[in-house]
Amino acid sequence: MFKQAALYTALFAILGASGTALAEQPANGFGLFAGVSSHKMKMEPALVPDYSSSGLSLGIDYQFGVADSFSINPFLMSAGERVSGGVSDATAGHGILGVEGRFWFSPEFFLGAHIGSYTEVLQANSSNVSTSASGGGAGLTLGWENSAKGSSFGGVFVALQLDRAKIHYDNADTELSGARLHIGYRWK
């Protein structure tokens, strides 16, 4: 995880040094978003075969414009997903509590890097038995946000988020990778 955080920090430094400043900093505001999500899990030691899940995701954030081309976005996301592969007849819940730094290429396009606390809850549908794990992770987000204040779609945004995390069960570690595609609205 620390190697990824160093990579994301270096990426932001390069983007910040090479980018042009916006005329104004990104707008502050509360955002609400929903979309689709997919995760792949690999357990070490391999107590069960690799498994994957897909479903729906919901999230909230608050954007703080901190400079002409940068914003900080604390966020909370949750996903409910159907599991396939090595774990059958189960559902998964995934959550992230994190913070993201965003570099704005223009008033509408951004690249973000985030770190957070990741959780997974697996529940067997037939027995109502559940197990949970948590750990740290990081990821990238690429997005577009309509900055037009007077238009019908002002505040609408779309984002693709990619994540990697290592979560810890009692008897195994799980490498989690995920992708989410969201559409949302920011009140500015």
Side-chain angles (χ1 to χ4, degrees):
M1 181 179 120
F2 294 109
K3 289 180 185 177
Q4 289 176 334
L7 174 66
Y8 298 146
T9 303
L11 178 64
F12 267 118
I14 291 167
L15 289 172
S18 66
T20 58
L22 299 176
E24 60 187 52
Q25 64 186 39
N28 294 340
F30 171 75
L32 181 63
F33 45 93
V36 293
S37 60
S38 178
H39 289 89
K40 186 172 187 175
M41 286 67 70
K42 179 179 174 86
M43 197 170 279
E44 293 293 333
L47 300 175
V48 297
D50 296 354
Y51 57 101
S52 60
S53 61
S54 58
L56 300 176
S57 181
L58 297 171
I60 58 172
D61 76 356
Y62 192 89
Q63 179 166 281
F64 298 95
V66 294
D68 289 343
S69 298
F70 292 95
S71 65
I72 300 292
N73 294 58
F75 65 89
L76 174 64
M77 284 188 210
S78 181
E81 301 171 342
R82 183 88 173 127
V83 176
S84 60
V87 178
S88 61
D89 193 33
T91 55
H94 290 104
I96 309 171
L97 176 61
V99 64
E100 179 169 87
R102 291 181 176 174
F103 173 78
W104 292 81
F105 294 101
S106 72
E108 295 182 336
F109 293 96
F110 65 87
L111 176 65
H114 58 270
I115 58 172
S117 175
Y118 290 67
T119 60
E120 177 181 67
V121 176
L122 289 174
Q123 180 170 354
N125 294 332
S126 58
S127 63
N128 265 348
V129 173
S130 66
T131 184
S132 64
S134 63
L140 293 173
T141 304
L142 180 63
W144 168 86
E145 185 169 320
N146 189 343
S147 63
K149 294 180 180 167
S151 81
S152 300
F153 295 103
V156 171
F157 63 91
V158 177
L160 173 64
Q161 178 180 342
L162 305 173
D163 299 296
R164 291 196 73 105
K166 182 171 243 176
I167 57 176
H168 311 283
Y169 283 97
D170 288 338
N171 54 357
D173 290 335
T174 300
E175 293 286 337
L176 179 141
S177 58
R180 291 175 189 77
L181 181 61
H182 287 127
I183 186 166
Y185 186 83
R186 181 165 320 284
W187 287 267
K188 300 176 185 183

